[in-house]
């Protein structure tokens, strides 16, 4: 996964089934933008079928005064809260590469 052509590290992904059944899966990217999905705490993978995909970098951290603060979101809303991303999970190995563009890159002249 990349953002503006660069690997997107520490992004959280959610694959949410669009059908009437099935649980979502989630994962987090590493420094190279690679990720795996977990169906449950102990089970890798995702429910078969179509999914909406949400990607976010928003998370809480602790500052020097031990106060919780939100880190700024680096991923545009069209990939998370208002996601436009979809994927079809099929039997066997699946690979979904997402090349995300920031608002800055989209609106550049």
């Amino acid at each position: 996964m990349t953002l503006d052509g660069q690997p997107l590290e520490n992004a959280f992904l959610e694959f949410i089934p669009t059908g009437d059944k099935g649980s979502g899966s989630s994962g987090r990217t590493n420094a190279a933008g690679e990720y795996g999905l977990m169906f449950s705490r102990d089970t890798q993978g995702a429910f078969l079928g179509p999914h909406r995909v949400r990607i976010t970098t928003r998370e809480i951290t602790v500052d020097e005064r031990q106060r919780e603060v939100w880190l700024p979101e680096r991923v545009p809303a069209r990939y998370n809260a208002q996601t436009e991303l979809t994927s079809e999970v099929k039997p066997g190995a699946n690979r979904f590469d997402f090349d995300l563009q920031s608002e800055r890159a989209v609106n550049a002249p």
Side-chain angles (χ1 to χ4, degrees), residues 43-62:
T43 307
Q44 293 181 340
F47 193 75
L48 299 178
H51 291 74
R52 283 186 311 116
V53 179
R54 290 192 302 210
I55 303 168
T56 184
T57 60
R58 191 160 189 226
E59 64 180 314
I60 296 176
T61 190
V62 178

Side-chain angles (χ1 to χ4, degrees), residues 28-94:
R28 189 167 291 277
T29 59
N30 63 19
E34 301 166 337
Y35 65 94
L37 294 174
M38 297 298 290
F39 184 72
S40 70
R41 179 176 286 195
D42 302 321
T43 307
Q44 293 181 340
F47 193 75
L48 299 178
H51 291 74
R52 283 186 311 116
V53 179
R54 290 192 302 210
I55 303 168
T56 184
T57 60
R58 191 160 189 226
E59 64 180 314
I60 296 176
T61 190
V62 178
D63 69 10
E64 64 279 349
R65 293 183 180 178
Q66 301 304 308
R67 294 179 300 187
E68 290 184 348
V69 293
W70 283 99
L71 296 177
E73 176 66 74
R74 296 179 286 151
V75 175
R78 71 177 184 274
Y79 304 127
N80 53 56
Q82 300 167 359
T83 191
E84 301 169 354
L85 299 174
T86 61
S87 289
E88 175 86 22
V89 177
K90 298 181 179 180
N94 288 257

Side-chain angles (χ1 to χ4, degrees), residues 1 11-15 25-29 35 53-55 98:
M1 174 180 323
F12 180 74
L13 292 92
E14 290 181 280
F15 275 57
S25 295
S26 61
R28 189 167 291 277
T29 59
Y35 65 94
V53 179
R54 290 192 302 210
I55 303 168
F98 299 101

